[in-house]
Amino acid sequence: MTDDKTCGGHITGPCPERPDGERNTLFLERALVCPGIPGMGGGECDVSARDGKIVACAPHGELEPPPDAERIPCGGKRLFPSFLDVHTHLRDPGREYKEDIGTGLEAAAHGGFGAVMAMANTDPVNDRAAVTAYMTAKAARLHPHGPRLYPVGALTVGLAGKAPAPMGELAAAGCIAFSNDGKGVADTETFRRCMEYAAQWGRIVIDHCEDPSLAPGALMNEGAVSGRAGIPGVPTVAEALHVARDILLSEYLDLPVHLAHISCRQSVELLRFAAERGLKVSAETCPHYLLLDDGLLEGFNAAAKVNPPLRSREDVRALRGAVRDGLIGIFATDHAPHAAHEKEQPLDQALCGFIGLETALPLTYTLVRDGLLNEAAFTRMWHSAPAAVFGIPVNNFAPGDPADFFLFDPDEEWTVCRDTIHSKSLNTPFLGRRLRGRVTAHWLGGRRVV
Amino acid sequence: MSDIRWRHKDLLDTAELSASEITCLLDMAERFDEINARPVKKVPTLRGKGVVLFFAEPSTRTRTSFEVAGKRLSADTYALATSGSSITKGESLRDTALTLQAMAPNIIVIRHSVSGAAAFLAERLSCSVVNAGDGRHAHPTQALLDAFTLRRHWKGDMRGKRLLIVGDIAHSRVARSNVFLWQKFGVGVRVFGPRTLLPPGIRDWPVEVHDNLDEALAGVDAVMALRLQLERQQAGLLPDLSEYARHFCIGMRHLEKAAPDAVVLHPGPINRGLEIASDLADSGRSRILDQVAAGVAVRMAVLFTLGMRGTSMQEAFEEPGQGAAGA
């Protein structure tokens, strides 16, 4: 951390400054700009950008290409504004053998993300400004054009669930939100006080919903599969109890709360209650909860171990319905890299989690293909919805917006393997699988990063 | 004895075996049981074959049973001591497995506290793996010896018989391996235990779940009492042990409701007065010591089958007979 010391304390906002000075002009022709962007209507468009900002975006033929522009023929490929992942673990500082900020952001760029939020369960925990400053400085140094890194500060000191972390100091250093992700906060009084204190600094709390008293020694979802195989399981009630707790606290305190990695039907039903009352509750789910169920654990497959665990088919159905109906409005990856030796273990020893940054778009795009989402809703869930909850500036193709966008070929097929993945780790149940849909080019601040 | 070519590298659970494969193993165990009754109990069948006994969880009975079975087949058996071994020094199961593999045994017998540990080894090793109990998941040789014992008692006529399993089903690998074995033979399995010790999803198992012991016992042909681990009470799954004994301990009087020649089994070691009454355990209705003897014969059949893998059953089996005759 020492070589970045000079940067500590100088970062005043969550968004590191981009270097400027160098001029560059882009003109993208015949791109299918996502129909969610106002005024675009889904037809072929041309986009011009200069010095990292959008100049104009209009239906093809309406704009005059600037004479000095690098012209990029897009041939009718889909052009999306760079996405935002509100839930990653970049393992830096402390566990750089799994991932570091350099490789994590590289993976993000290849996955279509222009910004990621990184959880606080590093070593040391991001519960003090020095850690936050180290993270943002390293990101700015290694990826000066982006993807941008928004650290999430620890909600409690050491993530121990006892004393609130120094959120004022952390917010000033650049923490975008606060969370105890990975462990949750068992004690409701502590959680309530943390919600109130975070609000003082204009920050929202992200809760990892899990009642730990209901899950002693759990290695997977409790249900038919765990019962048959004799594997200790955690019931969906452990998640839903804390979802209910947070919804009621949000209403009582009139404060927003964001619920991380929602995985089960009962939580969806509680989110319906919150939506009907118009409460300030937002929720995310991850690609794996929409596509995989706990049947994957039947052969004791530790590659499928994750927390919250993969649930039953019924839960998967309910989550897909919740995404379709907008009860869950945000996608996130919960990118959680682990080394091979940490996953190739019996179930009790294997660590929880999957990498997700580079597989997320092709996986969630299957919901578009399945007719559950249109492209506008798909984009909203990865882009404007999380940006609105966390107050992160994103590209809407309006003049002056950051020139952050990527081309996506929904039909290109590729295999998840060491040669295609930029993350340091390969822990994903999709390893070896062929996925359909790929980010073929990505610009951040007008610079080509992929 | 049916002549089939054995298709499994490993024995991980009874669920993966067909009824005819189980029958084949039990038939073979009968022949080994005859050998065990002879003055000289040793046959040369597995001479020169190595059997590693890797018990990463305390076990005296099962380990000894496998060791006796291996020695009677003239295999070289090696017990891996677990206390003070590399397992307690933080070596991963994968590395332990690879280390064992490098010693080129023919069969590894594993007992482990984690469900799926035997499958984990089996996927990574070219030698045969025998599951001697993995967590709550499976204990196939126990279920086979239970089947051996009851098949004898029922004189081979198993279809339509009824077995009641009493106790802690949720944490029991014995119960799981029994349920999915008996299903293949048309034996009706009932279970009775505290609701806190029933596994999730049991209503979808091929069993009848009972809440009343008298009803559960009515007309059954055998009762299997399961060992209660004392830590269940510490985990808050039971009020106290005397309450458990009052409602879930099987005694002589309970057998009156069962079929007239019903017998009682227990995988051992027994907690007298907790899950089985002392007088019942010592009575003529008890088959507990028969189970122990059956265990050796069944494990001989398992080690023999896997050790002679690739050989036709019929031709392979001629050898120990001849060897015994020559002994």
Side-chain angles (χ1 to χ4, degrees):
Chain A
M1 284 172 62
T2 48
D3 60 337
D4 292 317
K5 205 182 284 173
T6 50
C7 302
H10 295 291
I11 292 159
T12 50
C15 172
E17 294 277 319
R18 285 205 187 79
D20 50 14
E22 253 185 283
R23 303 173 63 83
N24 74 327
T25 307
L26 294 175
F27 191 75
L28 284 79
E29 295 171 275
R30 290 180 178 276
L32 265 184
V33 176
C34 164
I37 302 301
M40 291 306 125
E44 285 189 355
C45 295
D46 297 342
V47 178
S48 81
R50 182 183 295 276
D51 300 337
K53 307 276 186 211
I54 300 289
V55 174
C57 178
H60 174 63
E62 288 184 12
L63 297 177
E64 191 65 32
D68 59 337
E70 180 193 349
R71 293 173 72 151
I72 296 146
C74 299
K77 272 194 196 151
R78 282 163 175 76
L79 184 71
F80 288 99
S82 298
F83 286 174
L84 164 61
D85 185 1
V86 300
H87 197 142
T88 71
H89 300 268
L90 298 189
R91 308 301 190 203
D92 187 356
R95 296 287 182 273
E96 293 86 352
Y97 64 93
K98 301 175 196 250
E99 193 81 284
D100 61 42
I101 285 170
T103 56
L105 293 180
E106 186 69 25
H110 282 85
F113 296 101
V116 300
M117 289 166 47
M119 289 297 169
N121 61 341
T122 48
D123 183 14
V125 167
N126 184 15
D127 61 1
R128 64 204 91 159
V131 177
T132 314
Y134 158 81
M135 292 169 72
T136 51
K138 187 166 179 181
R141 176 162 56 81
L142 296 176
H143 292 273
H145 307 294
R148 280 163 288 146
L149 173 63
Y150 293 94
V152 175
L155 189 65
T156 59
V157 173
L159 298 175
K162 300 279 195 291
M167 294 185 227
E169 167 186 319
L170 288 163
C175 286
I176 186 85
F178 293 101
S179 182
N180 233 55
D181 186 65
K183 288 181 183 164
V185 179
D187 183 73
T188 303
E189 164 70 5
T190 303
F191 188 73
R192 173 234 170 117
R193 298 304 174 195
C194 285
M195 274 179 79
E196 290 174 322
Y197 191 65
Q200 173 127 27
W201 311 102
R203 297 295 190 270
I204 187 170
V205 171
I206 303 171
D207 195 19
H208 168 120
C209 294
E210 179 182 347
D211 182 335
S213 66
L214 266 168
L219 305 175
M220 66 172 292
N221 180 47
E222 179 177 300
V225 177
S226 74
R228 169 63 189 93
I231 301 170
V234 55
T236 55
V237 177
E239 173 177 304
L241 269 175
H242 275 201
V243 167
R245 169 188 84 169
D246 294 359
I247 289 171
L248 295 174
L249 279 174
S250 167
E251 180 176 43
Y252 179 68
L253 301 172
D254 192 25
L255 286 174
V257 67
H258 178 73
L259 309 180
H261 44 52
I262 293 300
S263 72
C264 66
R265 178 186 57 80
Q266 287 182 310
S267 298
V268 168
E269 282 163 14
L270 293 162
L271 287 169
R272 191 180 304 279
F273 166 88
E276 281 165 2
R277 294 169 87 94
L279 304 180
K280 300 172 194 166
V281 176
S282 56
E284 71 190 36
T285 191
C286 312
H288 41 273
Y289 301 121
L290 298 163
L291 296 166
L292 305 175
D293 62 57
D294 60 0
L296 213 53
L297 276 294
E298 261 166 16
F300 307 98
N301 177 14
K305 186 180 173 190
V306 63
N307 190 31
L310 299 179
R311 304 290 191 182
S312 70
R313 275 188 205 161
E314 184 203 0
D315 291 305
V316 172
R317 257 197 307 279
L319 282 174
R320 291 170 70 95
V323 166
R324 181 196 58 215
D325 300 343
L327 288 173
I328 294 176
I330 293 175
F331 285 137
T333 65
D334 198 2
H335 180 78
H338 290 298
H341 71 269
E342 294 168 325
K343 284 301 262 192
E344 197 183 345
Q345 295 272 3
L347 266 186
D348 67 323
Q349 298 289 319
L351 298 183
C352 288
F354 309 150
I355 57 166
L357 282 166
E358 294 169 86
T359 52
L361 265 60
L363 292 175
T364 47
Y365 197 81
T366 60
L367 275 73
V368 176
R369 241 180 240 124
D370 294 346
L372 271 78
L373 290 175
N374 57 33
E375 282 198 349
F378 169 74
T379 307
R380 192 163 59 239
M381 291 190 69
W382 279 122
H383 175 255
S384 45
V389 168
F390 295 99
I392 289 174
V394 288
N395 172 24
N396 284 299
F397 291 106
D401 280 354
D404 299 346
F405 40 73
F406 63 89
L407 287 170
F408 182 72
D409 181 347
D411 295 315
E412 184 174 330
E413 292 195 12
W414 59 286
T415 302
V416 182
C417 64
R418 183 68 281 172
D419 291 343
T420 53
I421 292 292
H422 298 80
S423 172
K424 263 186 204 174
S425 296
L426 281 175
N427 54 305
T428 162
F430 296 99
L431 187 66
R433 294 260 286 265
R434 275 188 84 68
L435 302 184
R436 194 166 152 214
R438 195 170 197 184
V439 174
T440 56
H442 193 174
W443 290 263
L444 290 170
R447 303 303 177 103
R448 180 96 186 246
V449 294
V450 170
Chain B
M1 186 172 63
S2 51
D3 185 41
I4 54 170
R5 220 161 256 282
W6 200 253
R7 63 192 169 99
H8 307 280
K9 176 174 86 73
D10 312 295
L11 176 63
L12 302 179
D13 193 8
T14 51
E16 69 192 15
L17 301 178
S18 67
S20 60
E21 286 168 338
I22 292 168
T23 301
C24 177
L25 285 173
L26 298 182
D27 289 347
M28 200 184 302
E30 287 284 357
R31 305 213 15 202
F32 283 121
D33 197 53
E34 287 163 25
I35 292 170
N36 287 338
R38 293 176 191 171
V40 177
K41 299 172 169 57
K42 196 156 178 159
V43 292
T45 322
L46 293 185
R47 196 161 48 199
K49 307 250 181 192
V51 177
V52 170
L53 305 175
F54 172 30
F55 279 65
E57 194 185 60
S59 159
T60 309
R61 308 160 67 91
T62 306
R63 199 197 63 222
T64 307
S65 181
F66 269 106
E67 190 169 356
V68 169
K71 286 192 157 57
R72 289 200 178 154
L73 293 169
S74 303
D76 298 315
T77 60
Y78 309 90
L80 198 77
T82 50
S83 61
S85 80
S86 51
I87 302 155
T88 52
K89 294 174 189 159
E91 186 180 64
S92 76
L93 186 59
R94 180 170 177 271
D95 286 322
T96 306
L98 294 175
T99 304
L100 292 173
Q101 165 111 317
M103 298 177 196
N106 298 89
I107 299 172
I108 292 179
V109 179
I110 178 179
R111 158 72 60 93
H112 201 281
S113 60
V114 175
S115 300
F120 181 89
L121 277 199
E123 276 167 32
R124 284 159 183 80
L125 300 183
S126 55
C127 68
S128 292
V129 173
V130 176
N131 184 4
D134 63 327
R136 311 171 184 179
H137 169 237
H139 194 353
T141 58
Q142 176 70 42
L144 287 168
L145 74 86
D146 294 335
F148 182 94
T149 307
L150 287 179
R151 188 175 79 151
R152 256 196 187 178
H153 175 65
W154 292 334
K155 302 184 171 58
D157 180 19
M158 298 189 283
R159 187 153 294 275
K161 290 287 193 290
R162 280 163 296 191
L163 166 68
L164 170 65
I165 305 178
V166 179
D168 177 1
I169 313 291
H171 300 87
S172 176
R173 52 194 174 212
V174 175
R176 282 183 180 78
S177 284
N178 262 280
V179 165
F180 294 95
L181 180 151
W182 291 116
Q183 183 190 17
K184 298 170 197 288
F185 291 98
V187 171
V189 178
R190 300 176 181 180
V191 299
F192 172 71
R195 288 206 178 187
T196 51
L197 297 176
L198 294 180
I202 194 171
R203 308 267 162 194
D204 298 324
W205 291 17
V207 298
E208 282 177 33
V209 182
H210 285 263
D211 274 330
N212 177 300
L213 182 53
D214 287 344
E215 287 171 23
L217 280 160
V220 296
D221 302 286
V223 179
M224 179 184 294
L226 297 173
R227 179 175 169 81
L228 182 77
Q229 302 290 344
L230 302 183
E231 67 219 48
R232 306 298 168 228
Q233 193 243 330
Q234 288 148 20
L237 296 168
L238 296 169
D240 61 56
L241 298 182
S242 62
E243 163 103 352
Y244 184 86
R246 197 171 304 123
H247 298 286
F248 301 97
C249 182
I250 301 299
M252 283 301 274
R253 66 181 177 87
H254 291 109
L255 283 207
E256 289 164 19
K257 307 200 170 55
D261 60 346
V263 289
V264 64
L265 280 70
H266 190 293
I270 61 175
N271 291 308
R272 284 176 187 266
L274 183 54
E275 69 257 354
I276 185 165
S278 203
D279 55 351
L280 176 58
D282 294 333
S283 76
R285 306 304 276 290
S286 167
R287 289 288 174 275
I288 296 173
L289 294 177
D290 296 331
Q291 288 173 276
V292 177
V296 174
V298 158
R299 287 170 181 126
M300 287 173 80
V302 167
L303 293 178
F304 172 79
T305 303
L306 295 178
M308 301 298 284
R309 194 159 46 98
T311 321
S312 148
M313 284 293 148
Q314 198 66 55
E315 61 186 296
F317 205 78
E318 292 313 315
E319 206 188 327
Q322 286 160 6

